[in-house]
Amino acid sequence: MWVSTKAQYGLRALVEIGLRAPQAVPLKEVAEAQGISLHYLEQIAAQLRRAGFIRSVRGAKGGYRLARPPERVTALEVVEALEGSLAPVSCIEDPESCAKVGQCSTELLWKRVDLAMRGVLGGTTLKDLIEERKLLEAKKLIQLEAS
């Protein structure tokens, strides 16, 4: 399973929006803070909005807010919404796609890979990622003060 920039940027955008909660954050600010093309981020944000992760706020102080509390959003949900299937091989998701299902020596390997990936992503919330970002920023401040 190859995670595209769409899923990577989508998670980073959600972290950026979550960090600034409860304010609405303009996508332009998210794009600048994360070094993401605004045009590409607009496409990703549309998918995130349709999937119910963010909602738009109109007006002078408009932008995007999280639609759900960050502790109720898993990385797995976001990646699947942006990427589709996470299965490392097609037979994991669609057993009829392979004539070797049940007779393949590597089938269990791919099932374990799938379960491990789902376990890590499903066990990581947006709140966890926001807290990690806060820790990284605090470390930067400490390093700057020590210099």
Side-chain angles (χ1 to χ4, degrees):
M1 160 56 214
W2 179 264
V3 177
S4 73
T5 57
K6 186 189 296 185
Q8 294 173 52
Y9 292 175
L11 281 168
R12 285 174 34 195
L14 288 173
V15 168
E16 194 68 38
I17 293 167
L19 273 173
R20 300 182 192 196
Q23 302 141 298
V25 186
L27 275 186
K28 183 178 181 184
E29 289 182 20
V30 174
E32 288 171 0
Q34 290 297 317
I36 302 170
S37 153
L38 178 58
H39 179 69
Y40 190 33
L41 186 57
E42 286 169 341
Q43 295 171 18
I44 295 168
Q47 281 187 266
L48 292 171
R49 188 177 38 75
R50 282 191 301 271
F53 297 114
I54 57 175
R55 62 182 175 87
S56 60
V57 177
R58 296 181 188 262
K61 295 187 179 192
Y64 285 91
R65 287 189 182 137
L66 296 179
R68 296 177 7 210
E71 62 273 11
R72 293 188 49 226
V73 176
T74 68
L76 177 63
E77 292 175 286
V78 176
V79 173
E80 285 183 327
L82 294 172
E83 295 285 341
S85 172
L86 287 176
V89 291
S90 61
C91 62
I92 299 299
E93 185 138 305
D94 180 16
E96 294 180 16
S97 69
C98 180
K100 295 274 189 190
V101 170
Q103 305 165 23
C104 178
S105 62
T106 63
E107 186 177 348
L108 289 177
L109 167 69
W110 299 125
K111 284 183 178 180
R112 288 194 309 269
V113 168
D114 186 56
L115 285 172
M117 195 165 31
R118 289 176 182 282
V120 170
L121 292 172
T124 304
T125 67
L126 183 54
K127 182 179 180 181
D128 298 331
L129 297 174
I130 291 168
E131 293 303 319
E132 181 69 24
R133 170 80 180 278
K134 288 177 183 177
L135 286 173
L136 289 170
E137 288 178 3
K139 284 180 185 178
K140 278 187 207 174
L141 287 175
I142 291 169
Q143 289 173 348
L144 286 174
E145 290 173 358
S147 311

